[in-house]
Amino acid sequence: MSRIFSGIQPSGEITIGNYLGAIRNWVRLIDEHDSIFCVVDQHAITVEYEIAELPKKIFDAAATNIAAGLDPAKCALFVQSRVPEHTELAWYFNTVTPMGDLGRMTQFKEKSKQHRENINVGLFGYPVLQAADILLYKADRVPVGEDQVQHIELARDIARKFNARFGPIFPEPQVILSPTPRIMGLDGQAKMSKSMKNYIGVLEEPASIRSKLAVALTDENRKRRTDPGNPDICNIFTLHKSLSSPEEIDRVNVECRRAGIGCVDCKKILADNMIRELDPIREKFRELERRPDEVHDVLEKGAARCRTIAAATMDEVRRAMGLR
Ligand code: AQP
């Protein structure tokens, strides 16, 4: 059975971008793969963060994933810092990773602009730690959103370089993209992301979802209700494609183009469908909040299983590198 690995940062509210671009796909994949998912807290500390808030964010990220369908009976879910081999392997990978490759990473360039006051070595080496996350478990498939494709290509390069120098230990992991690999922010300007305040949260209340959608950007060329719209360039239509029924998607597609439906009604259909999808997740999350020990137990069991796999890989790696 092939193994999948993927991670999510506890850096804020989990967005519908995370959900539609990654988590919903993970839930579909766990039946057919040996599946490992990780709350990557050591990645989240590469930008400024509130120390006192981090434990809750880690808990919320884990509980949201469970609530969204990551059944702990079918996969391992754990917190990255509970398995110290991640950072050890990252250090070894640093020795085969050219600085130039890291400097070319789009995410590094973007985050360096956003966090000019703290462009630290951890931020620069983020993709090396990510390669270690994946390869520690010899995962051969990595389900992610489009923004992470470049990092997985680098993980493949790192595996190749390491194997060429020290012997064939690691697979070269391949990306599995979700059907909606890039969800744009509500302003249509950039990728939806936790830090940009351009998102709808997976746990958001219906009233808040409706008011955010009400002001979300649609086809900018459609100035009046009577103007025909173009769903191909409308972010709301992309969300319909992820959340509405095939009949509704067809209807919106046709009616928008001939001004048979206005943006207000189109958004109302989307809001109804989004709320229907997210309501059970929020309810399950609230239940888990009332039973935090259950979540901690899942994470401890996940870490215990992952430590066993990690120890075996590191034994092989240290021997191959002459560290014994
Ligand atoms: N907008 C998106 N569309 C599709 N997939 C997305 N992912 C993230 N945003 C989108 C996918 O979600 C998984 C978890 O990634 P992450 O925790 O690194 O997500 P993030 O929200 O981008 O995290 P940040 O860096 O905390 O947020 P910002 O950018 O706000 O600083 C990944 O599989 C990712 O592809």
Side-chain angles (χ1 to χ4, degrees), residues 28-145:
R28 287 181 186 142
L29 292 164
I30 52 177
D31 284 322
E32 297 140 34
H33 298 80
D34 178 12
S35 308
I36 302 179
F37 300 105
C38 184
V39 178
V40 289
D41 53 349
Q42 290 169 322
H43 286 281
I45 59 171
T46 58
V47 296
E48 288 300 315
Y49 70 101
E50 284 298 328
I51 299 170
E53 287 174 10
L54 189 56
K56 182 172 183 326
K57 284 186 176 166
I58 293 171
F59 177 91
D60 287 357
T64 306
N65 275 279
I66 298 170
L70 282 194
D71 179 351
K74 296 182 182 171
C75 64
L77 176 67
F78 72 106
V79 179
Q80 186 182 31
S81 59
R82 301 287 291 142
V83 183
E85 286 87 348
H86 286 248
T87 43
E88 184 186 353
L89 185 58
W91 182 256
Y92 302 153
F93 282 170
N94 278 332
T95 67
V96 297
T97 309
M99 304 250 297
D101 287 3
L102 294 178
R104 276 192 288 279
M105 293 294 113
T106 308
Q107 180 176 296
F108 174 68
K109 289 184 195 159
E110 282 171 3
K111 295 239 162 172
S112 300
K113 276 187 216 144
Q114 283 169 26
H115 303 275
R116 280 181 204 283
E117 71 296 340
N118 183 12
I119 306 173
N120 59 73
V121 177
L123 188 63
F124 188 62
Y126 185 115
V128 182
L129 180 57
Q130 190 171 352
D133 299 336
I134 298 161
L135 294 169
L136 188 55
Y137 305 103
K138 300 190 180 180
D140 39 25
R141 298 267 189 284
V142 191
V144 285

Side-chain angles (χ1 to χ4, degrees), residues 27-302:
V27 174
R28 287 181 186 142
L29 292 164
I30 52 177
D31 284 322
E32 297 140 34
H33 298 80
D34 178 12
S35 308
I36 302 179
F37 300 105
C38 184
V39 178
V40 289
D41 53 349
Q42 290 169 322
H43 286 281
I45 59 171
T46 58
V47 296
E48 288 300 315
Y49 70 101
E50 284 298 328
I51 299 170
E53 287 174 10
L54 189 56
K56 182 172 183 326
K57 284 186 176 166
I58 293 171
F59 177 91
D60 287 357
T64 306
N65 275 279
I66 298 170
L70 282 194
D71 179 351
K74 296 182 182 171
C75 64
L77 176 67
F78 72 106
V79 179
Q80 186 182 31
S81 59
R82 301 287 291 142
V83 183
E85 286 87 348
H86 286 248
T87 43
E88 184 186 353
L89 185 58
W91 182 256
Y92 302 153
F93 282 170
N94 278 332
T95 67
V96 297
T97 309
M99 304 250 297
D101 287 3
L102 294 178
R104 276 192 288 279
M105 293 294 113
T106 308
Q107 180 176 296
F108 174 68
K109 289 184 195 159
E110 282 171 3
K111 295 239 162 172
S112 300
K113 276 187 216 144
Q114 283 169 26
H115 303 275
R116 280 181 204 283
E117 71 296 340
N118 183 12
I119 306 173
N120 59 73
V121 177
L123 188 63
F124 188 62
Y126 185 115
V128 182
L129 180 57
Q130 190 171 352
D133 299 336
I134 298 161
L135 294 169
L136 188 55
Y137 305 103
K138 300 190 180 180
D140 39 25
R141 298 267 189 284
V142 191
V144 285
E146 201 176 69
D147 59 322
Q148 292 302 318
V149 170
Q150 195 185 33
H151 285 178
I152 310 309
E153 280 164 8
L154 185 72
R156 264 205 303 280
D157 289 347
I158 291 175
R160 205 173 299 133
K161 286 202 177 80
F162 186 97
N163 290 345
R165 172 86 173 90
F166 300 109
I169 293 186
F170 296 112
E172 292 180 21
Q174 305 294 323
V175 166
I176 305 181
L177 278 184
S178 81
T180 41
R182 185 176 174 82
I183 302 293
M184 294 300 283
L186 296 177
D187 55 5
Q189 301 302 308
K191 180 196 90 152
M192 182 177 287
S193 65
K194 302 183 200 96
S195 61
M196 299 284 283
K197 305 275 171 259
N198 63 357
Y199 66 84
I200 291 178
V202 170
L203 304 176
E204 221 153 301
E205 296 290 337
S208 172
I209 293 176
R210 287 187 196 283
S211 65
K212 281 190 179 177
L213 281 179
V215 292
L217 188 80
T218 54
D219 168 9
E220 281 179 293
N221 300 321
R222 192 175 189 194
K223 308 277 185 225
R224 290 175 301 263
R225 168 69 181 78
T226 47
D227 293 341
N230 181 1
D232 300 334
I233 55 166
C234 179
N235 198 24
I236 295 298
F237 188 61
T238 307
L239 291 170
H240 267 296
K241 285 195 273 187
S242 319
L243 291 161
S244 300
S245 68
E247 297 72 35
E248 283 167 322
I249 296 168
D250 278 351
R251 191 178 144 237
V252 167
N253 192 14
V254 171
E255 296 299 325
C256 172
R257 285 178 205 279
R258 56 177 187 160
I261 184 174
C263 294
V264 172
D265 290 331
C266 174
K267 285 175 171 179
K268 185 179 174 310
I269 301 169
L270 176 65
D272 291 344
N273 293 335
M274 194 179 287
I275 289 163
R276 192 175 314 119
E277 174 105 8
L278 298 182
D279 264 355
I281 299 177
R282 198 179 57 257
E283 276 161 29
K284 173 89 182 150
F285 175 86
R286 298 287 171 233
E287 274 172 37
L288 290 169
E289 257 190 330
R290 287 192 287 275
R291 300 195 305 272
D293 289 350
E294 216 171 276
V295 176
H296 292 133
D297 193 45
V298 166
L299 295 175
E300 265 321 302
K301 287 202 175 104

